[in-house]
């Protein structure tokens, strides 16, 4: 299957700081990437759809000014959690696919812990 | 939107068969996926159905009935390493987003 990487794998930060998470598609170009969040023992919840060269589309209830998404190239999307708080501690995962009707593959995830 | 239901937990014995059901109500449909997720890790792709019928892949098979809004994942010859959460996900036909069920935790006992 396709290879998707995320960096960092885990991060611990102080409350009030910002954290940037990168998602890269390594063997194909991705026009669209999706960002999910998963709290412990819960399912994945879609946060936003990242579109190369245009603004991200956020799901209802997700603050676009808090979760900044940039999709500057066909292989890289970044999610920046601004002014992080302990309630933002979660597992953040990106997915992408070569085409809209192809299988979506997950990055390995980034575990964020805000102290 | 999508409403996806699957059982919370299932337990089975090593070597046995387990069937995980998933029902969905959707405003648009463009495929159903099954993923496996071990604790602390990202989900990994298992199967994809877009047409009715059974897709077999080794010890794992997945079935879809679009008219009934129903799918199942069949795990045969269970191994201890199959203990994990299994996620049913439906893709819509607008933004091609995936909506996930809450996941079924399968525990395989010796």
């Amino acid at each position: 299957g396709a290879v998707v990487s995320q960096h960092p794998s885990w991060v611990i930060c102080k409350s009030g700081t910002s954290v940037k998470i990168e998602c890269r598609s390594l063997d194909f170009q991705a026009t669209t990437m999706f960002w999910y969040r998963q709290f412990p023992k819960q399912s994945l919840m879609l946060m936003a759809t990242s579109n190369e060269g245009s603004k991200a589309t956020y799901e209802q209830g997700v603050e676009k000014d808090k979760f900044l998404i940039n999709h500057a190239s066909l292989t890289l999307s970044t999610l920046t959690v601004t002014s992080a708080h302990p309630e933002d501690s979660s597992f953040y995962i990106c997915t992408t696919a070569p085409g809209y009707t192809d299988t979506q593959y997950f990055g390995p995830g980034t575990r964020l812990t805000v102290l | 939107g999508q409403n996806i239901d699957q059982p919370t937990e299932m337990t089975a014995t090593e070597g046995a068969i387990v069937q995980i059901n998933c029902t969905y109500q959707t405003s648009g449909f463009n495929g159903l996926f099954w993923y496996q997720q071990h604790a602390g890790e990202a989900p990994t792709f298992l199967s994809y159905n877009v047409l009715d019928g059974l897709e077999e892949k080794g010890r794992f098979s997945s079935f879809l009935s679009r008219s009934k809004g129903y799918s199942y994942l069949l795990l045969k010859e269970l191994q201890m390493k199959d203990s994990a959460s299994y996620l049913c996900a439906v893709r819509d036909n607008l933004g091609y987003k995936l909506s996930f069920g809450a996941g079924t935790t399968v525990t395989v006992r010796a």
Side-chain angles (χ1 to χ4, degrees):
Chain A
V3 180
V4 180
S5 72
Q6 273 184 249
H7 178 79
S9 310
W10 58 271
V11 57
I12 301 173
C13 68
K14 292 183 179 179
S15 185
T17 59
S18 294
V19 175
K20 180 187 283 188
I21 303 170
E22 295 184 347
C23 176
R24 293 181 186 273
S25 58
L26 299 183
D27 52 0
F28 62 91
Q29 294 181 326
T31 305
T32 302
M33 292 182 174
F34 300 92
W35 286 96
Y36 289 84
R37 179 169 56 181
Q38 185 177 35
F39 292 106
K41 301 199 176 185
Q42 294 186 24
S43 192
L44 287 84
M45 297 299 295
L46 179 65
M47 298 176 67
T49 303
S50 172
N51 303 298
E52 189 269 336
S54 64
K55 290 183 179 179
T57 305
Y58 290 82
E59 295 300 300
Q60 193 171 7
V62 177
E63 301 174 57
K64 62 180 182 180
D65 294 330
K66 180 172 180 61
F67 299 99
L68 301 178
I69 291 174
N70 184 284
H71 195 151
S73 78
L74 286 170
T75 59
L76 173 65
S77 173
T78 61
L79 168 67
T80 301
V81 183
T82 62
S83 187
H85 288 92
E87 57 264 31
D88 298 323
S89 297
S90 187
F91 193 41
Y92 291 85
I93 316 175
C94 69
T95 77
T96 187
Y100 285 122
T101 57
D102 293 313
T103 298
Q104 285 191 26
Y105 293 93
F106 284 81
T110 297
R111 188 161 303 283
L112 170 64
T113 302
V114 184
L115 302 176
Chain B
Q2 319 280 18
N3 186 23
I4 301 165
D5 291 313
Q6 52 182 127
T8 305
E9 295 179 332
M10 301 182 76
T11 301
T13 306
E14 197 173 14
I17 298 173
V18 69
Q19 176 174 315
I20 306 170
N21 296 323
C22 173
T23 58
Y24 63 90
Q25 295 167 322
T26 176
S27 56
F29 179 84
N30 191 21
L32 186 142
F33 295 80
W34 284 96
Y35 289 87
Q36 180 191 61
Q37 186 177 26
H38 285 99
E41 299 179 8
T44 55
F45 169 75
L46 289 179
S47 69
Y48 168 62
N49 295 70
V50 67
L51 299 176
D52 290 350
L54 186 68
E55 295 280 342
E56 297 188 80
K57 264 189 178 183
R59 294 190 299 115
F60 295 171
S61 304
S62 58
F63 171 84
L64 174 68
S65 168
R66 289 172 297 170
S67 62
K68 296 182 179 178
Y70 168 71
S71 172
Y72 68 72
L73 178 70
L74 195 69
L75 288 67
K76 294 179 276 191
E77 300 170 17
L78 280 173
Q79 303 174 9
M80 299 298 285
K81 65 179 182 180
D82 297 329
S83 292
S85 179
Y86 291 84
L87 306 172
C88 173
V90 174
R91 181 165 61 190
D92 68 26
N93 56 5
L94 296 174
Y96 301 94
K97 299 180 289 188
L98 288 179
S99 296
F100 285 85
T104 300
T105 300
V106 172
T107 303
V108 181
R109 300 195 189 280

